[in-house]
Amino acid sequence: MRGRLITLEGGEGAGKSSAVSCMADWLRSQGRDVVLTREPGGTPAAERIRAVLLDPATGDIEPLTEALLMFAARAENLAGVIRPALAAGQDVICDRFTDASRAYQGGGRELGMAAINALADLVHPDLEPDLTVVLDVPVEIGMARIRGRGQSPDRFEQNRTDFLQRVRSTYLDLAEAAPKRFAVIDASQAIDEVHRQIIDTLRARLQ
């Protein structure tokens, strides 16, 4: 039996890292074999592309260039990690997937959806997530969390508020358009409550 592809999405500072662990722990408690991956990244080549995309020294690049790099990394992750795991019956939790390209490049960079969807049709025409969980948090809260980490912001975290607001709005629009695939969780709540709602979502959607 084919495994399930579960993607986790959200803007900067939404708390995806802890949410991935929460999801994986619950699925494993249900007897599922779980593989974790991230985008951009997941394979050595894709991680090198990630380094370029997140490095502030990369500077401004054309929105289409950014999207092409994202899909180049995605093609590697699909071939090296995601498709083999699904074929082996494993559940895959992917920290960001194509909806991130729709939100960040399509919406945030204002590239539009036509180019993103064309690339999706090229790279994974036969594959869509079984469930996409969006951790939604107001931009100002997410950025305050990032500042609180005491780490230098990456190239995307350095973007202006209007860019990040377009990203958030695009995620919410995508979720509204496909409610059977998406679940939106208010990530401004206490972490224990966020994790409880994630588990409730997994139980309701996947069991």
Side-chain angles (χ1 to χ4, degrees), residues 120-197:
D121 288 342
L122 177 66
V123 173
H124 57 92
D126 57 333
L127 182 63
E128 183 178 79
D130 296 282
L131 172 65
T132 298
V133 176
V134 177
L135 298 183
D136 177 55
V137 64
V139 170
E140 59 272 18
I141 293 177
M143 296 312 295
R145 289 175 176 175
I146 290 168
R147 289 191 294 270
R149 294 175 190 163
Q151 300 173 343
S152 298
D154 67 31
R155 184 170 158 274
F156 288 98
E157 293 167 349
Q158 288 183 342
N159 279 281
R160 296 182 346 187
T161 300
D162 56 345
F163 166 85
L164 297 172
Q165 187 57 57
R166 287 194 298 273
V167 170
R168 184 190 184 201
S169 296
T170 304
Y171 271 131
L172 294 176
D173 288 345
L174 291 168
E176 184 178 9
K180 290 184 178 180
R181 177 164 71 86
F182 283 85
V184 179
I185 292 174
D186 179 1
S188 65
Q189 304 173 96
I191 191 168
D192 288 348
E193 178 61 19
V194 172
H195 289 182
R196 185 190 68 78
Q197 292 187 19

Side-chain angles (χ1 to χ4, degrees), residues 9-103:
E9 301 283 359
E12 306 305 317
K16 290 186 291 83
S17 296
S18 64
V20 165
S21 296
C22 168
M23 296 169 82
D25 289 346
W26 185 83
L27 286 166
R28 287 171 178 145
S29 76
Q30 305 302 301
R32 302 295 299 183
D33 191 4
V34 180
V35 172
L36 306 181
T37 189
R38 67 178 182 177
E39 294 204 347
T43 70
E47 291 290 336
R48 295 187 72 175
I49 296 172
R50 177 188 181 90
V52 171
L53 284 164
L54 269 61
D55 187 351
T58 297
D60 293 335
I61 56 177
E62 284 295 311
L64 181 57
T65 303
E66 190 174 89
L68 289 167
L69 287 170
M70 288 289 184
F71 274 95
R74 183 162 297 130
E76 288 296 306
N77 197 22
L78 281 160
V81 178
I82 295 175
R83 290 188 187 278
L86 294 177
Q90 298 170 303
D91 289 344
V92 176
I93 300 174
C94 192
D95 182 350
R96 300 198 189 282
F97 192 60
T98 297
D99 293 306
S101 295
R102 294 184 175 107

